[in-house]
């Protein structure tokens, strides 16, 4: 058995670990190479950095040792003074349909109203939270969305994944990560022995699609963050895996590049957070799958360690 295999076995990661070239690999058959999340193969000619990562992964003692991973607490909440119109959070309609244009915010909202809105969201149970997201008109994205994308999965999951914002497919279907990036994400979950909806809850920072998949704006994030915060508080996962630079920087309130956020255990509201690449990025940058696998190994260790202490 190779050192790498021994390392993975030591982590308890043996299930669903499918070598890229195996003929009997149903996962690999079912998806394109780009979407498959199989053992990251380092080709003979690779970037030196990736070669190094492969070496590090193969080293059973030094990789992602949980006790050594530094823990960084997220910065305190940013004060927001975002212009919005008050929303009736509890009575909001449950329909996911696009709201009437007359509901679109027209003017500034005083800070106290924003604080009241955040406090109301922070006290919501799942049904009220679901309804509040479905009927939200707190920013302009409600004008262009088809559906809100609340999040999906086990509401008592030990794992929570947080992405950026719905794309076109997600906007149409009302579910996160249903496109090609979603297929890769499902395979990443499979590599961890997890599956969508089974011990995992998947959500985004934004619940509505930014038109044309443009970057979310700070005001949009500020309005949407209370929803994600409440989701995390209700799920109370053992570990949060944040997917991509944008989600990581939003959740952790930092401008640190993703390359520096990876490999460290951060916290959000006392819950450990591990940062990895966004699956859409990994579709374009196959060589970074090795790094993503390293991140998932770290997340797995953090998860298991949290369970051991529970
Ligand atoms: N990208 C994301 O970050 N989230 C989705 O739901 C889909 C694509």
């Amino acid at each position: 058995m190779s050192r790498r295999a021994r390392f993975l076995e030591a982590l308890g990661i043996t299930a669903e670990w499918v070598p890229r070239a195996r003929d009997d690999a149903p996962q690999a058959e079912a998806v394109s190479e780009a979407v498959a999340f199989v053992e990251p193969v380092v080709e003979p000619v690779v970037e030196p950095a990736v070669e190094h990562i492969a070496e590090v992964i193969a080293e059973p003692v030094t990789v992602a040792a949980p006790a050594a991973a530094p823990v960084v607490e997220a910065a305190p909440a940013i004060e927001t003074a975002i212009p919005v119109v008050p929303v009736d959070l509890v009575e909001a309609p449950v329909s996911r349909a696009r709201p009437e244009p007359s509901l679109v915010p027209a003017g500034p909202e005083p800070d106290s109203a924003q604080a009241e809105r955040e406090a109301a969201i922070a006290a919501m149970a799942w049904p009220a939270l679901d309804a509040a997201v479905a009927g939200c008109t707190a920013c302009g994205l409600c004008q262009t969305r088809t559906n809100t994308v609340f999040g999906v999965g086990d509401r008592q999951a030990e794992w929570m994944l947080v992405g950026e914002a719905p794309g076109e497919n997600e906007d149409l279907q009302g579910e996160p990560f249903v496109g090609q990036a979603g297929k890769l994400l499902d395979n990443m979950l499979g590599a961890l022995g997890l599956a969508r909806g089974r011990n995992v809850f998947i959500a985004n920072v934004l619940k509505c699609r930014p038109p044309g998949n443009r970057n979310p704006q700070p005001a949009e994030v500020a309005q949407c963050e209370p929803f994600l915060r409440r989701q995390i508080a209700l799920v109370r996962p053992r570990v949060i895996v944040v997917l991509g630079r944008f989600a990581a920087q939003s959740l952790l309130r930092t401008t640190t590049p993703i390359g520096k956020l990876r490999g460290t255990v951060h916290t959000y509201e006392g819950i450990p957070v591990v940062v990895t690449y966004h699956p859409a990025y990994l579709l374009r940058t196959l060589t970074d799958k090795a790094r993503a696998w390293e991140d998932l190994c770290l997340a797995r260790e953090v998860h298991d360690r949290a369970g051991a202490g529970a």
Side-chain angles (χ1 to χ4, degrees):
M1 188 187 283
S2 70
R3 292 164 77 201
R4 179 190 179 82
R6 281 203 305 278
F7 164 60
L8 292 171
E9 191 177 61
L11 290 184
I13 306 167
T14 52
E16 322 226 10
W17 183 253
V18 184
R20 188 185 295 272
R22 252 176 54 181
D23 289 332
D24 60 343
Q27 253 189 326
E29 275 169 17
V31 292
S32 72
E33 179 172 330
V35 175
F37 193 80
V38 294
E39 181 175 6
V41 173
V42 180
E43 303 294 344
V45 180
V46 292
E47 302 167 27
V50 173
E51 219 167 63
H52 171 69
I53 291 289
E55 280 166 21
V56 170
I57 289 174
E59 202 44 66
V61 181
T62 56
V63 173
V71 176
V72 178
E73 176 68 64
I78 296 167
E79 293 291 343
T80 56
I82 308 302
V84 289
V85 155
V87 178
D88 186 338
L89 295 165
V90 178
E91 300 300 327
V94 290
S95 160
R96 291 185 181 278
R98 182 188 299 203
E100 293 298 317
S102 61
L103 295 177
V104 168
E109 179 181 70
D111 283 354
S112 63
Q114 175 67 2
E116 268 177 39
R117 174 178 182 267
E118 290 182 11
I121 293 172
M124 285 177 180
W126 283 111
L129 189 63
D130 209 338
V133 169
C136 182
T137 56
C139 80
L141 295 181
C142 64
Q143 298 174 66
T144 50
R145 74 182 177 219
T146 310
N147 289 296
T148 53
V149 179
F150 182 77
V152 71
D154 178 352
R155 293 180 170 186
Q156 294 174 326
E158 293 171 358
W159 292 76
M160 189 152 172
L161 271 55
V162 177
E164 176 176 328
E168 186 180 9
N169 293 314
E170 291 77 18
D171 174 65
L172 291 173
Q173 296 183 39
E175 181 168 334
F177 287 102
V178 291
Q180 282 293 97
K183 283 186 191 156
L184 177 57
L185 183 63
D186 287 344
N187 288 327
M188 291 165 76
L189 290 174
L192 285 169
L194 300 169
R196 181 182 288 250
R198 206 183 64 215
N199 208 14
V200 185
F201 190 86
I202 305 174
N204 284 310
V205 172
L206 289 193
K207 311 304 185 203
C208 296
R209 180 191 183 205
N213 297 343
R214 66 157 167 74
N215 284 338
Q217 292 170 358
E220 294 159 355
V221 175
Q223 292 302 324
C224 232
E225 209 226 344
F227 293 136
L228 178 63
R229 181 182 294 270
R230 186 59 184 154
Q231 286 177 311
I232 292 171
L234 287 170
V235 174
R236 207 75 207 154
R238 280 192 200 171
V239 62
I240 300 171
V241 179
V242 185
L243 305 165
R245 177 187 67 86
F246 174 84
Q249 292 182 344
S250 297
L251 203 75
L252 301 174
R253 299 183 182 284
T254 180
T255 53
T256 305
I258 186 165
K260 292 212 169 93
L261 293 173
R262 291 182 52 252
T264 299
V265 182
H266 308 266
T267 63
Y268 179 85
E269 303 283 333
I271 298 172
V273 174
V274 172
V275 173
T276 192
Y277 293 112
H278 194 283
Y281 166 81
L282 291 174
L283 288 173
R284 303 189 301 269
T285 318
L286 301 184
T287 48
D288 274 341
K289 278 187 176 180
R291 293 185 175 100
W293 177 246
E294 192 185 16
D295 300 333
L296 296 183
C297 289
L298 175 59
R300 170 101 174 198
E301 290 183 22
V302 168
H303 165 272
D304 292 354
R305 196 150 39 102

